[in-house]
Amino acid sequence: PEYAEYDTNTAIQYTFEALDVFKQLTSSDEHARAEIVKQHYLLADLFKRQGQFEKALHHFSEFHHTDKEVRN
């Protein structure tokens, strides 16, 4: 994703808000599960850009795990 000109702190805040919304919808919406995958990927990238590698790794792991669940 290309958002280098944006404030990463604000992007992280909005991405967490989106993640919370999609998590509330997962029981009834397959699209929401796919969006959770995207939100974790975005968080991993944003945290990596900030140099917060432990958080980036956590969200990349969540991305990978959730993506695997969605594809099965």
Side-chain angles (χ1 to χ4, degrees):
E2 188 53 50
Y3 36 69
E5 68 273 8
Y6 299 109
D7 175 37
T8 54
N9 289 324
T10 301
I12 288 169
Q13 175 187 344
Y14 290 149
T15 305
F16 271 122
E17 289 174 11
L19 183 60
D20 288 341
V21 169
F22 290 123
K23 282 183 176 181
Q24 292 175 16
L25 299 173
T26 54
S27 62
S28 61
D29 188 351
E30 287 296 315
H31 175 73
R33 292 178 67 207
E35 286 299 321
I36 289 172
V37 172
K38 290 179 188 178
Q39 302 312 309
H40 280 298
Y41 181 83
L42 289 172
L43 286 167
D45 189 58
L46 288 164
F47 282 124
K48 183 180 84 172
R49 287 173 183 259
Q50 287 188 332
Q52 297 189 52
F53 299 112
E54 286 184 31
K55 289 182 180 182
L57 179 59
H58 168 76
H59 287 285
F60 186 76
S61 296
E62 288 295 315
F63 155 74
H64 181 67
H65 175 75
T66 309
D67 186 51
K68 197 174 190 180
E69 285 181 350
V70 168
R71 293 178 188 270
N72 288 332

